[in-house]
Amino acid sequence: MNDSGTGTAPTAVEERLRAALTARAHSVGPADLRPLRPPTAPVRSGRVLLRRAVASALVLAAVAALVFLAVRGGPSRPAEPARAPRPGTGTPSAVPSPLAPTTAEPSPSPTAP
């Protein structure tokens, strides 16, 4: 495992691991391998089923909302105003005069110690 060019000798753990992996690689031969069986039926994943369930729930909710809004009885004509409108009979009030300017007095400032 130290073949990366570091120039250090492999440790005992690295040698044991390399030997174990080599032995495992040589234990598998062509007689142990067999071709895969062809698929007999299409397999549907859980994601496809979940997507279909969510899509059908959303469609059902949309149809229910449309039915609710269409069936809900609303007034067939607009509501009457709260009170009958009356024309203004009073005279307009006079425009208030501007306030007299006041002189501002400076506020006392705290003295620094």
Side-chain angles (χ1 to χ4, degrees):
M1 301 221 169
N2 273 334
D3 295 336
S4 62
T6 58
T8 60
T11 63
V13 173
E14 289 175 343
E15 289 177 11
R16 288 180 61 195
L17 182 61
R18 185 176 288 123
L21 291 173
T22 304
R24 180 69 178 153
H26 290 302
S27 70
V28 177
D32 298 323
L33 303 176
R34 66 175 191 267
L36 293 175
R37 286 183 279 152
T40 57
V43 178
R44 292 188 178 177
S45 69
R47 286 185 180 179
V48 173
L49 295 175
L50 180 64
R51 283 183 196 160
R52 286 187 179 176
V54 169
S56 63
L58 289 174
V59 167
L60 182 64
V63 168
L66 287 174
V67 167
F68 175 74
L69 292 175
V71 172
R72 183 176 63 165
S76 60
R77 61 188 184 108
E80 296 292 326
R83 58 188 162 122
R86 285 188 241 156
T89 57
T91 59
S93 62
V95 178
S97 63
L99 296 175
T102 60
T103 58
E105 295 181 21
S107 62
S109 60
T111 59

